[in-house]
Amino acid sequence: MSAREFNFDGLVGPSHNYAGLSFGNVASFSNVKSASNPKLAALQGLAKMRALAARGFGQALLPPQDRPNFRLLRSIGFTGSDAEVLSKAAKEAPVILACAYSASPMWTANAATVSPSADSADGRAHFTAANLNNKLHRAFEHEQSARALRAIFKDDKHFAVHAALPGTPAFSDEGAANHTRLCKSHGSAGVEMFVYGRTEFDASAPAPKKYPARQTLEASQAVARLHGLAAERTVYIQQNPDVIDQGVFHNDVIAVGNANALFYHEQAFADEAGALDQLRRALDGVGADLNAIRVDTTRVPVADAVASYLFNSQLLSKDNGKMALVIPHECQEVSSVAAYLQDLVADGSVIDELIHFDLRQSMRNGGGPACLRLRVALTDAEAAAMHQGVVMTEALYHTLVAWVEKHYRDRLEPADLADPQLAIEVHNALDELSRLLGLPGLYA
Ligand code: SUG
């Protein structure tokens, strides 16, 4: 069946800020408490969506989430009016207030894991919202992510949206950031590759020592079960614990795949040869040959991959049978990576084009092009059945730019989170957005 991949980018919310909340994510930690520019962040994200849509790639968006999370603040004992809750939280627990205000749902690669209908036992596209339970500021996202996904993929003849796995360490799940689908074509059965950082119930399995592993094998297996994936087309691969300890907090910071191509760093996996062997065997079953594009440490050290986000790129299939690599500007600024990319496109590989974007506002929190998008491969019938108000068009782009210009601040400092006016501004902005996207009740 013919199918097409849509990238659902996260629309950056009006409270985008730098709070240093993600231990193990080097950029988040390094930029803690600096001033952010939510307006610029949203415009940078929209520019990427617009450019890729204009090129003919399937492009849609997921809306930002309601902030601050008053439910979280009230559940831990802050009482009174909204303004009182904010002022007490700012005084007694500023870091928790920052968690309640985080715009982290913008990184939609962590919103859910998605299996297209070609892979599932019941022939529906399956989504499981990610519990993100490793970080307080992200652990509540799944409620609104599931709600948004259900509003967009409402028709249960075509779609199944599962609630997040139990929010406990054994089932730590970070969604599509640790999941890659390899295939011959988007519409035919593919191989789903789950990359995990640790195993809850095997104390002898290697695990990182310094930074947390944010995905467990048990979580990946549960998602595969929920989606009804075939065992012979499902592969579990352990991430190299040493690279997690060097700041690779998700697999999509060190590897990206598309169709039959896997672009990865030689240190990405705990057992590189074993991983490739498993993938080759599974892909053989769907009539595809793995195109493994390996980047050696001698060309690009892990630290440079993390600094540039070379692998947090989008690998997009083009009509000419080749692929474009969507990269952040930082890739041009790290010399080993810039030199590597020049050779990559010149040497006749399947990647024949680089598309650059300025995503600095997101990058400063450790979110590159791939973090900002959730891939959903849809058949024509499924694409027609989803809610159309979130599909990026030139008209929607202009509507959203005007909306951002009207509602967003261009500077947000940590102290501003205590300002009760900010909560009102965010509320008004989102209220209007739900109407613009044709999703009434999204924030109810
Ligand atoms: O979960 N940063 C996000 C970045 C997510 C990137 N996603 C993927 N690799 N797919 C995180 O670490 C920082 C928020 C702050 O510090 O204010 C943050 O949540």
Side-chain angles (χ1 to χ4, degrees), residues 19-22 25 28 107 110 137-138 177 214 250 252 365-366 371:
L21 301 174
S22 274
N25 166 344
S28 154
W107 300 296
N110 305 116
H137 70 291
R138 307 209 63 180
R214 289 163 67 164
H250 289 136
D252 71 3
N365 250 340
C371 301

Side-chain angles (χ1 to χ4, degrees), residues 62 107-113 128-130 132 138 145 149 174-176 374:
L62 288 179
W107 300 296
T108 52
N110 305 116
T113 305
T128 296
L132 296 171
R138 307 209 63 180
S145 300
L149 289 170
E174 302 265 330
L374 181 65

Side-chain angles (χ1 to χ4, degrees), residues 11 44 59 69 76 87 100 107 151 154 169-170 183 189 207 221 257 285 297 299 323 328 335 351 384 388 413 415 441:
L11 177 57
Q44 288 176 343
Q59 183 68 57
N69 183 344
I76 56 168
S87 125
W107 300 296
K154 206 167 26 194
C183 58
Q221 289 169 331
T297 307
R299 289 250 30 200
M323 297 184 197
S335 57
I351 301 171
Q388 302 298 304
E413 300 203 35

Side-chain angles (χ1 to χ4, degrees), residues 10 38 45 71 77 86 91 93 125 143-144 178 180 186-187 217 238 250-251 292 297 310 350 353 361 386 406:
R71 223 148 44 95
L86 294 173
K91 230 176 273 140
E143 295 165 11
Q144 288 189 56
N178 296 316
T180 305
H186 289 310
L217 171 62
Q238 173 152 22
H250 289 136
N251 178 60
T297 307
L310 167 62
V350 71
E353 182 185 359
Q361 284 290 317
M386 75 171 165
K406 175 174 162 196

Side-chain angles (χ1 to χ4, degrees), residues 183-185 188-189 191 260 280-290:
C183 58
K184 196 166 180 178
S185 74
S188 58
V191 169
N260 68 335
R280 283 202 177 97
R281 276 188 282 121
L283 279 168
D284 194 43
V286 299
D289 285 327
L290 180 69

Side-chain angles (χ1 to χ4, degrees), residues 304-320:
D304 287 2
V306 173
S308 65
Y309 262 38
L310 167 62
F311 297 96
N312 198 260
S313 44
Q314 292 176 248
L315 200 47
L316 301 174
S317 297
K318 302 196 295 181
D319 292 341
N320 68 357

Side-chain angles (χ1 to χ4, degrees), residues 77-422:
F78 293 111
T79 56
S81 66
D82 286 356
E84 283 164 347
V85 166
L86 294 173
S87 125
K88 287 180 204 166
K91 230 176 273 140
E92 291 173 36
V95 178
I96 298 181
L97 178 62
C99 288
Y101 253 123
S102 180
S104 53
M106 67 203 259
W107 300 296
T108 52
N110 305 116
T113 305
V114 185
S115 296
S117 52
D119 293 355
S120 68
D122 66 5
R124 295 189 295 169
H126 284 252
F127 303 75
T128 296
N131 61 30
L132 296 171
N133 74 331
N134 191 263
K135 302 278 179 260
L136 174 62
H137 70 291
R138 307 209 63 180
F140 298 86
E141 287 178 30
H142 66 92
E143 295 165 11
Q144 288 189 56
S145 300
R147 178 160 354 125
L149 289 170
R150 287 190 181 117
I152 295 166
F153 300 102
K154 206 167 26 194
D155 185 346
D156 61 11
K157 187 160 68 99
H158 292 294
F159 310 116
V161 179
H162 305 277
L165 302 177
T168 186
F171 290 119
S172 288
D173 178 21
E174 302 265 330
N178 296 316
H179 171 260
T180 305
R181 180 173 189 263
L182 298 170
C183 58
K184 196 166 180 178
S185 74
H186 289 310
S188 58
V191 169
E192 300 208 11
M193 158 181 163
F194 290 83
V195 180
Y196 60 93
R198 68 179 185 90
T199 307
E200 174 79 2
F201 296 115
D202 179 359
S204 66
K209 296 184 177 66
K210 183 173 167 200
Y211 291 145
R214 289 163 67 164
Q215 181 86 32
T216 64
L217 171 62
E218 289 83 355
S220 299
Q221 289 169 331
V223 171
R225 240 183 334 264
L226 285 166
H227 293 194
L229 302 183
E232 67 278 15
R233 289 187 273 111
T234 307
V235 169
Y236 301 99
I237 291 172
Q238 173 152 22
Q239 197 179 353
N240 178 357
D242 295 342
V243 298
I244 297 180
D245 282 340
Q246 292 171 69
V248 180
F249 57 99
H250 289 136
N251 178 60
D252 71 3
V253 176
I254 196 120
V256 58
N258 175 55
N260 68 335
L262 181 66
F263 178 53
Y264 74 102
H265 192 276
E266 72 163 303
Q267 293 189 56
F269 309 117
D271 169 13
E272 180 193 5
L276 296 185
D277 185 51
Q278 280 192 79
L279 288 172
R280 283 202 177 97
R281 276 188 282 121
L283 279 168
D284 194 43
V286 299
D289 285 327
L290 180 69
N291 179 2
I293 308 169
R294 175 194 211 242
V295 181
D296 298 345
T297 307
T298 50
R299 289 250 30 200
V300 178
V302 172
D304 287 2
V306 173
S308 65
Y309 262 38
L310 167 62
F311 297 96
N312 198 260
S313 44
Q314 292 176 248
L315 200 47
L316 301 174
S317 297
K318 302 196 295 181
D319 292 341
N320 68 357
K322 298 281 192 170
M323 297 184 197
L325 193 69
V326 176
I327 51 174
H329 274 349
E330 283 76 354
C331 284
Q332 298 306 309
E333 290 156 9
V334 175
S335 57
S336 64
V337 172
Y340 171 80
L341 285 170
Q342 209 173 17
D343 291 350
L344 177 73
V345 289
D347 81 356
S349 94
V350 71
I351 301 171
D352 73 344
E353 182 185 359
L354 305 173
I355 307 179
H356 310 250
F357 288 103
D358 177 358
L359 297 165
R360 283 187 210 282
Q361 284 290 317
S362 170
M363 286 285 289
R364 286 168 57 82
N365 250 340
C371 301
L372 284 162
R373 64 92 168 93
L374 181 65
R375 286 187 278 193
V376 186
L378 297 168
T379 64
D380 297 343
E382 290 160 357
M386 75 171 165
H387 176 65
Q388 302 298 304
V390 292
V391 176
M392 187 49 62
T393 59
E394 203 49 25
L396 182 59
Y397 169 78
H398 288 292
T399 302
L400 292 176
V401 166
W403 170 80
V404 168
E405 296 284 358
K406 175 174 162 196
H407 291 284
Y408 281 48
R409 295 190 184 188
D410 59 12
R411 188 177 172 87
L412 207 51
E413 300 203 35
D416 296 331
L417 302 185
D419 174 6
Q421 189 54 36
L422 179 65

